[in-house]
Amino acid sequence: MIASEQKAQRTDVDKLALLRELEKKVLWLASWTIHHANHLRENVDGVKVGGHQASSASLATIMTALYFDVLRPQDRVAVKPHASPIFHAIQYLFGRQTADKLKAFRGYKGAQSYPSRTKDVDDVDFSTGSVGLGVAQTLFSSLVQDYVRAHGWGLDRPQGRMIALVGDAELDEGNIFEAILEGWKQGVRNCWWIIDYNRQSLDAVIREGLWARYEGLFRGFGWDVVILKYGSLLQAAFAEPGGARLREWIDHCPNQLYSALVFQGGAAWRKRLLDDIGDQGEVTRIIEARSDAELARLMTNLAGHDLPSLLDVFGAVDHDRPTCFICYTIKGFGLPFAGHKDNHAGLMTPTQMEALRSAMNVRPGYEWDKFEGLALRADDIQAFLDRVPFVGRSHDRPRGAYIEVPGQLTVSIPPTISTQAGFGSLLNELAKDKSELADRLVTTSPDVTVSTNLGPWVNRRGLFARQAMADTFKSERIASTFAWEFSPKGQHIELGIAEMNLFILLSALGLSHAHNGERLLPIGTLYDPFIARGLDALNYACYQEARFILVATPSGITLAPEGGAHQSIGTPMIGIAQDGLAAFEPAYLDELSVVLAWALDYIQKDAESGMSERNWLRDGTGGSVYLRLSTRPIEQPRRDMTSELREAIIDGAYWFRRPGPNAEVIIAYTGALAPEAIEAVGLMAEDRRDVGLLAVTSADRLNAGWMAASRARDQGLVHARSHIERLLAEVPPHCGIVTVLDGHPATLAWLGAVHGHRVRSLGVEHFGQTGSIPDLYRHYGIDTNAIIAAAQAIAPGRPIRHLKALG
Ligand SMILES: Cc1ncc(C[n+]2csc(CCOP(=O)(O)OP(=O)(O)O)c2C)c(N)n1
Ligand SMILES: [Mg+2]
């Protein structure tokens, strides 16, 4: 053997020895962190917070191999929610997590139970917690990386692999299958899914033979599949005389029995093996040559806990094909409840923890010490840690350069138009524009591109695909309104009909600045009722501060011709309640134009800003934006867009008609019901004095500002006033408010609580009635008559003459 070979071999051995020590340390720290949170923290209130020691331990070896050897700084990882303590322990060893945060695990401002991009300090790539979402997002993030590079951006950075550490039960989530199908259509690559095949979920041991279903599934969609079943010890034993028999036994061992034996340990293994195959020749020697402890070690040596096997397999990948690794593991490996089917929320008792402490050579008082109890020298370990490729990742997250947004967007306003059609015109104008802004826009839609009015934009900017594809209808000269041409420069990503995929893709696009250092301005369109289909993915996108604009159209019962099944009632309430999402429902195109320009700037903001004095909103912090639009063409006002009006539209409301000093009633409306509200005010004028008309463009922002200003006053800032408080201060105390929108009435009902006015709230509470717009408005009581009737009820006085009998 020549000298350099000897040296290389020695370094390999050294690396393995180091990794083995680190694996132990990671398991110790993660277990101790959870134990500390449950048993030792001073302020624990008697409620066990769990922490999933078993679920974490399952991934300790795989994550050791990845983070200390395989990963490169540009790789991005979605960590299975319950492996959070392992992730934090690894980051702690890298010096990127603090002992204080670990000590406060699951506590106030402590390390998070599930890895969080926004709440954790140790550079989490994807927030996980709702199982299945982080997994799918890695697939879409690899697509986004391709999109960015195909557009010529970020080519000076190395390409990363998008990796998901997947719990085997996560694969029960339907969104994973939707993503795999979409990934196949889009030609996904640079994506690894590493399945922690511990054959346990939360409740139980999973079905036999699932791995074979997974294998077939992934292969069917063009993935490479690598099955890591047996570790190096077992493989060596299989090579011994009689080894084939042992292998046959273990290959046929049911999951339940295997788990039970793992839990019971060496003596149980011996008894069972001797009972089953002890009389079958040479295999007996394999069993008898080992002590109970050695036998247990052998029989639990699955590849997912075997560093040499993992390093070999991960290190051998030399292509960018999507790859699924099915890694056999044991839930709770290395801990006393390993394999027990009830171990999901199991916690080690103080006695068990003491046993682990002594096995790990950790002295009391040195539990958080990075190098305590390790067999190698601290200096050597530290030197190794300093050389780990992954630590080359910068401490600062990339942010992507800000893309300039003009104060005003170009659009010509016809006398009558719907907000949905207006949105199409705005994007069509942007598509014509030779600007950085237009180039950074990327649109996406789950098979409703044309019906949500993105057609003209797509005609101009094309669809994205890594390989160009012509529109055959065009080349065959068949007349069509829409060109459907794919190219690497295209700016629309067409998805199949899966709203989950839409939101997860928006989440990936909306984090491009942080993942690729290149900012994209994503706009996704869908039908408003189907927000509910992807709501959890939307919530997670917002939770991890992805930035995008969601345009939901059509909405409400105003989509009457589409039929009852597509109505949306609750979405305005989602707009109010969803954290990280500013919701608007403009009535007119000039309002929409103002809101869209604002939104394109707002989604790029990320300052640690306080509240603005004007509206008591944290506009400097930014967020995503939801626009609830309508297909109903309505007559447009002719007016100058003054800066005062623009500001009020963004803040959430303005007086379309100011109430006079003697007003008895005002009407507050949102969105497509503007014509009914205006008509009602006109018809009441003879019988009620000074009726005011409040146009509400964003119930969400009005409400948020009001809540924030109230809190500020509670804390002593006596002059804090929100936008809605200032507007309603003009309304005399005895005056009533009628609110109306095409959505749930509770959306605006709170307006009465601002200054204590009486309120009658009109809206839609029931679902599914078909009919024309007048039929439905009458049926649900949101037409002009209903508004007038409500005004009469809340502001009694002489009968309003135009009030017809309500049908
Ligand atoms: C969408 C969603 N539903 C339910 C849960 C609750 N839950 C957390 S972990 C888990 C089972 C996970 O099993 P697996 O993915 O196999 O991981 P393991 O615990 O085996 O490591 C469940 C049902 C969740 N976190 N998210
Ligand atoms: Mg599992």
Side-chain angles (χ1 to χ4, degrees), residues 55 80 82 129-131 167-170 173 198 200 202 331 344:
S55 185
K80 176 187 85 166
H82 290 140
S130 176
V131 300
D168 43 5
E170 283 196 73
E173 287 288 358
N198 60 21
Q200 278 187 251
L202 192 160
K331 190 156 167 174
H344 185 79

Side-chain angles (χ1 to χ4, degrees), residues 318-340:
D318 59 358
H319 57 79
D320 64 5
R321 292 190 297 280
T323 304
C324 168
F325 300 89
I326 302 178
C327 296
Y328 278 72
T329 54
I330 292 168
K331 190 156 167 174
F333 187 72
L335 304 179
F337 39 49
H340 197 295

Side-chain angles (χ1 to χ4, degrees), residues 304-364:
H305 296 299
D306 189 66
L307 280 167
S309 309
L310 292 166
L311 296 175
D312 270 2
V313 165
F314 293 144
V317 180
D318 59 358
H319 57 79
D320 64 5
R321 292 190 297 280
T323 304
C324 168
F325 300 89
I326 302 178
C327 296
Y328 278 72
T329 54
I330 292 168
K331 190 156 167 174
F333 187 72
L335 304 179
F337 39 49
H340 197 295
K341 69 182 172 57
D342 303 344
N343 65 10
H344 185 79
L347 278 173
M348 285 162 74
T349 61
T351 319
Q352 289 172 325
M353 205 61 209
E354 280 310 306
L356 186 68
R357 177 209 292 286
S358 65
M360 297 276 182
N361 295 324
V362 173
R363 289 166 295 166

Side-chain angles (χ1 to χ4, degrees), residues 117-181:
R117 277 196 82 249
T118 50
K119 306 286 181 213
D120 276 318
V121 292
D122 44 2
D123 199 16
V124 171
D125 292 322
F126 303 94
S127 298
T128 59
S130 176
V131 300
L133 296 180
V135 182
Q137 187 155 342
T138 57
L139 183 151
F140 287 106
S141 291
S142 58
L143 176 63
V144 170
Q145 174 173 261
D146 280 341
Y147 180 95
V148 166
R149 297 175 74 86
H151 286 77
W153 300 312
L155 295 174
D156 52 339
R157 290 165 182 268
Q159 280 191 84
R161 283 169 299 201
M162 304 296 158
I163 299 173
L165 299 172
V166 190
D168 43 5
E170 283 196 73
L171 288 161
D172 287 327
E173 287 288 358
N175 79 277
I176 301 229
F177 297 82
E178 297 174 8
I180 295 173
L181 174 55

